[in-house]
Amino acid sequence: MAPVRLDPQGYFRRIPLTPERLTDRITATLDAIVLCHLGVPRLEPREWSLTIDGMVGKPRTLRFDDLLRFPKIEVASIHQCAGSPLQPFEPTRRICNVVWGGARLVDVLAPSEPDPAATFLWSYGLDGGTFSDIGIDAYLKDLPRERIAADALIAYEMNGKPLPAENGFPARLVVPGFYGTNSVKWLTRMTFADRRADSPFTTRWYNDPILDENGAPTGTTRPVWSIAPESVIVAPAPDRTLPVSVPVEIWGWAWADGGVERVEIATCGNDWQPVALEAPDGRQWQRFSLNWTPPTSGQFNLASRATARNGATQPDAGRRNAIYRVPITVA
Ligand SMILES: Nc1nc2c(c(=O)[nH]1)N[C@H]1C(S)=C(S)[C@@H](COP(=O)(O)O)O[C@H]1N2
Ligand SMILES: [Mo]
């Protein structure tokens, strides 16, 4: 294959919508997050292929046309960037909710007869270059085997249209419920293995230090896979002035891998109260709302806190899924 053309070359991202602009349930493609560590490969579908190898009975290589022959599925899902791997505890709220279309990952892998002893699936992108002064042959991520059977897909569509180049054209992995970093774009190769991939994007970056109760590193790490519970208030927007004693709807989105069970809102400090929350609909974010009547004039700090079905909740600060706060004035 001819050397890959990257345009642009090097780190490239789209500035995400701020929470008050996340008004639509499905985020328009041009408003969705974009993150490319090494640049944006430009290739034609006829130049694309996917090799499936490693611990399999039948290694094989698929063309783009082969991919289109599998039954097509659509998965509406949150899609979230975990933020800079160099600042793993920094909240960035790079979130959107989009519809992916493509082939089910299990369907594509099954004819290769994966060895039951393989515990990880490694996924390679076409993009190489330099990130944080480290030379990278190809973007490489790994996935625990059990996640394949769920609703992971090899997507060739986003919101009903072919993927834009920056989102992985012509085909990419999508792992709904896992942070975006795992959803390898411009997918070229998938390798079954019995250990984690030893690449900068698996074991050096996107591997959170686990801290003890005092916030000191324990020396162990956790892969950045499952999306932790999180929520944002869409309205009112920060720094708005609201009239006293006039009811207003506070609303926003909550999400977590596996769904959110409860959202609470606080208006001034620690007055947390449970609020109305949509039931989970597949992998999508869930709308929450509270009709609130500002009781007196003054400064308020609106905050929302999501608790996942597994009981995990949002920390106050110092983590990527820390509570989001909206300062407003009541006058
Ligand atoms: N090949 C490749 N895949 C990649 C990346 C990349 O740099 N190269 N970035 C990852 C990161 S960190 C995120 S958040 C998502 C972003 O996907 P998007 O740009 O389609 O929104 O792609 C992931 N897949
Ligand atoms: Mo990301």
Side-chain angles (χ1 to χ4, degrees):
M1 201 157 116
V4 54
R5 191 166 67 90
L6 295 171
D7 178 20
Q9 218 167 45
Y11 182 83
F12 171 75
R13 79 176 175 107
R14 181 180 291 146
I15 305 299
L17 294 184
T18 48
E20 69 272 17
R21 298 182 64 201
L22 295 171
T23 48
D24 295 340
R25 182 175 299 272
I26 298 294
T27 312
T29 300
L30 289 176
D31 289 333
I33 61 162
V34 166
L35 199 127
C36 313
H37 294 84
L38 307 162
V40 179
R42 306 277 162 170
L43 73 163
E44 295 299 321
R46 62 180 159 72
E47 297 172 292
W48 183 87
S49 67
L50 171 63
T51 298
I52 299 164
D53 60 9
M55 296 172 68
V56 296
K58 291 185 181 155
R60 53 200 248 288
T61 297
L62 287 87
R63 313 296 311 186
F64 190 69
D65 287 347
D66 302 324
L67 190 62
L68 299 181
R69 281 191 204 103
F70 293 95
K72 182 173 151 189
I73 61 159
E74 290 210 320
V75 181
S77 175
I78 48 163
H79 176 50
Q80 179 173 20
C81 174
S84 168
L86 311 178
Q87 291 165 309
F89 295 143
E90 190 69 26
T92 58
R93 307 185 178 95
R94 296 178 190 166
I95 179 72
C96 57
N97 191 52
V98 296
V99 182
W100 302 108
R104 224 181 264 283
L105 181 59
V106 260
D107 292 352
V108 178
L109 297 175
S112 297
E113 300 174 6
D115 182 338
T119 42
F120 291 94
L121 178 64
W122 301 3
S123 300
Y124 295 78
L126 188 60
D127 46 333
T130 304
F131 183 76
S132 188
D133 294 331
I134 299 208
I136 310 287
D137 294 335
Y139 187 81
L140 167 59
K141 298 296 293 187
D142 57 18
L143 204 64
R145 173 79 176 258
E146 50 290 2
R147 199 70 190 195
I148 298 172
D151 46 8
L153 66 160
I154 298 182
Y156 44 82
E157 284 183 7
M158 184 175 182
N159 291 337
K161 297 268 169 33
L163 291 173
E166 59 270 29
N167 299 106
F169 184 84
R172 71 177 300 172
L173 176 63
V174 171
V175 188
F178 271 21
Y179 284 102
T181 174
N182 299 289
S183 293
V184 175
K185 301 189 274 190
W186 318 288
L187 186 64
T188 58
R189 183 175 166 201
M190 298 187 116
T191 304
F192 278 93
D194 56 8
R195 58 188 169 88
R196 291 207 64 197
D198 183 17
S199 98
F201 291 102
T202 50
T203 47
R204 177 188 180 109
W205 303 313
Y206 297 107
N207 218 16
D208 288 349
I210 297 178
L211 308 182
D212 65 20
E213 313 84 72
N214 305 317
T218 58
T220 49
T221 58
R222 180 189 300 116
V224 175
W225 283 336
S226 198
I227 294 180
E230 200 169 331
S231 60
V232 288
I233 291 171
V234 175
D239 305 318
R240 279 296 145 83
T241 299
L242 303 177
V244 69
S245 301
V246 177
V248 60
E249 185 190 40
I250 303 172
W251 77 271
W253 303 112
W255 65 93
D257 183 23
V260 169
E261 185 156 272
R262 183 172 74 247
V263 172
E264 298 151 291
I265 286 179
T267 58
C268 49
N270 253 329
D271 58 331
W272 293 107
Q273 53 173 307
V275 302
L277 172 70
E278 288 178 347
D281 176 6
R283 295 285 188 179
Q284 302 200 65
W285 54 18
Q286 297 160 246
R287 193 182 193 277
F288 63 84
S289 65
L290 171 72
N291 288 314
W292 180 60
T293 307
T296 54
S297 56
Q299 303 297 317
F300 287 80
N301 218 357
L302 309 179
S304 62
R305 179 167 72 188
T307 300
R309 282 162 145 188
N310 67 7
T313 194
Q314 289 188 251
D316 216 46
R319 290 290 180 283
R320 71 165 60 82
N321 65 328
I323 290 169
Y324 173 65
R325 292 189 167 80
V326 176
I328 55 153
T329 301
V330 174

